[in-house]
Amino acid sequence: MKQFLTDLFADQSYDETNFFLIAGPCVVESEELIMEVADKVSGICKRLGIPYVFKASYRKANRTSANSFTGIGDETALQLVKKVGSTYKLPTTSDIHAHDEAAPAAKYVDILQIPAFLCRQTDLLIAAAETGKVVNVKKGQFLSGPSMKFAVDKIAKAGNDKIILTERGTTFGYQDLVVDYRNIPWMHEHGTPVVMDCTHSLQQPNQTSGVTGGNPQLISTIAKAAIATGADGLFIETHPNPAVAKSDGANMLKLELLEDLLEKLVKLRKAVL
């Protein structure tokens, strides 16, 4: 494990042979929701020896429809994410969408996540790098793994080598994504830990309803294949009731299904090491 990840998980007891997990609801809907998810997932991860990062977006800037939920207010949501981290002794992450969001968000979270559509935005990558926080860049749906070296270079040249790359599928037609698992070893060649986003890679974007669809029944398939092909970490958005989630409900994993999936993945990880 990279030293910056070891430092990130310093407050947790975990099995060093395990993958790490980035998980939580898509967006901060309420304090009750994020505390419920953090409590449940942290307990599971502690039992299974999985290093855990809590994830929730403080604002959703990229929505299909102008009528879609975007958040409860930046400052309020960021404070709640920080509260989760301090309450459960967890590192936290949220995505940012513009260069002027980097420094404010960095006051509250440990990892700045760069959305896939923005992975080529030079000013955004540099601003994230300059905070000194870990920067997790999601591979654009329009890019190959090898081409992500340019995102890595931008961050590294800004003086930050704490970089994670996340695979989240590649655009296939107008309303589907496919996962090319060659991207996992290819992105490892950039010298970074590689994460598989097991939920967004199953999105079905650009629906005429204005709400993104998904195939959550395939989350376990995506996750198992990622472990088998050498992913260092998994990204899974989860919610107690995805049917009523205010963002990305169509591709989130129901919270009650997470424990069984993680148990299987831990066994698989041990088998392929």
Side-chain angles (χ1 to χ4, degrees):
M1 185 179 286
K2 288 277 189 179
Q3 185 60 49
F4 72 84
L5 289 177
T6 300
D7 295 341
L8 195 68
F9 300 122
D11 290 333
Q12 300 183 46
S13 176
Y14 58 90
D15 183 343
E16 293 184 2
T17 66
N18 263 338
F19 56 89
F20 63 92
L21 177 68
I22 302 173
C26 180
V27 64
V28 177
E29 298 177 17
S30 67
E31 180 173 355
E32 293 75 19
L33 170 70
I34 63 173
M35 287 297 180
E36 177 184 357
V37 173
D39 184 71
K40 178 71 171 180
V41 180
S42 62
I44 295 169
C45 288
K46 184 176 182 179
R47 182 177 70 80
L48 296 175
I50 300 171
Y52 174 42
V53 178
F54 175 80
K55 182 270 170 183
S57 297
Y58 69 89
R59 172 161 46 93
K60 299 301 294 184
N62 179 15
R63 302 306 309 274
T64 301
S65 169
N67 297 320
S68 296
F69 177 80
T70 58
I72 61 174
D74 292 359
E75 185 74 16
T76 299
L78 281 166
Q79 288 178 349
L80 288 175
V81 172
K82 185 174 182 178
K83 183 175 180 179
V84 166
S86 60
T87 300
Y88 294 97
K89 301 294 187 262
L90 299 171
T92 59
T93 186
S94 189
D95 41 359
I96 58 173
H97 309 88
H99 70 278
D100 57 357
E101 295 177 25
K107 297 175 183 177
Y108 298 91
V109 301
D110 302 285
I111 302 175
L112 296 175
Q113 180 176 287
I114 308 300
F117 282 128
L118 302 176
C119 69
R120 292 182 60 181
Q121 294 297 110
T122 302
D123 59 347
L124 176 59
L125 293 173
I126 291 174
E130 289 177 343
T131 66
K133 296 290 185 174
V134 178
V135 182
N136 177 21
V137 188
K138 289 196 170 184
K139 181 187 73 64
Q141 300 93 323
F142 44 87
L143 292 176
S144 68
S147 64
M148 287 298 289
K149 68 179 181 181
F150 300 109
V152 172
D153 287 347
K154 290 174 184 178
I155 298 168
K157 287 179 180 177
N160 190 335
D161 62 358
K162 296 181 287 188
I163 307 164
I164 299 171
L165 295 179
T166 294
E167 164 64 27
R168 54 96 74 231
T170 302
T171 297
F172 184 74
Y174 290 109
Q175 295 173 326
D176 210 354
L177 297 168
V178 294
V179 177
D180 181 351
Y181 285 94
R182 296 177 299 175
N183 283 322
I184 291 177
W186 278 340
M187 289 197 292
H188 271 139
E189 293 177 3
H190 306 318
T192 70
V194 176
V195 171
M196 180 71 228
D197 184 336
C198 304
T199 45
H200 290 96
S201 59
L202 291 167
Q203 284 183 330
Q204 293 180 310
N206 305 319
Q207 301 294 315
T208 55
S209 65
V211 179
T212 297
N215 288 295
Q217 70 276 11
L218 294 174
I219 291 171
S220 64
T221 301
I222 296 292
K224 291 172 186 175
I227 294 298
T229 49
D232 302 289
L234 299 177
F235 179 108
I236 299 175
E237 287 190 339
T238 183
H239 192 286
N241 186 1
V244 300
K246 295 183 178 181
S247 177
D248 281 359
N251 55 265
M252 276 197 282
L253 182 69
K254 194 168 185 179
L255 184 58
E256 66 183 26
L257 302 177
L258 182 64
E259 186 167 14
D260 180 65
L261 174 59
L262 291 177
E263 287 176 347
K264 291 183 172 70
L265 295 173
V266 166
K267 292 176 182 177
L268 178 59
R269 172 77 167 192
K270 293 184 186 302
V272 300
L273 281 178

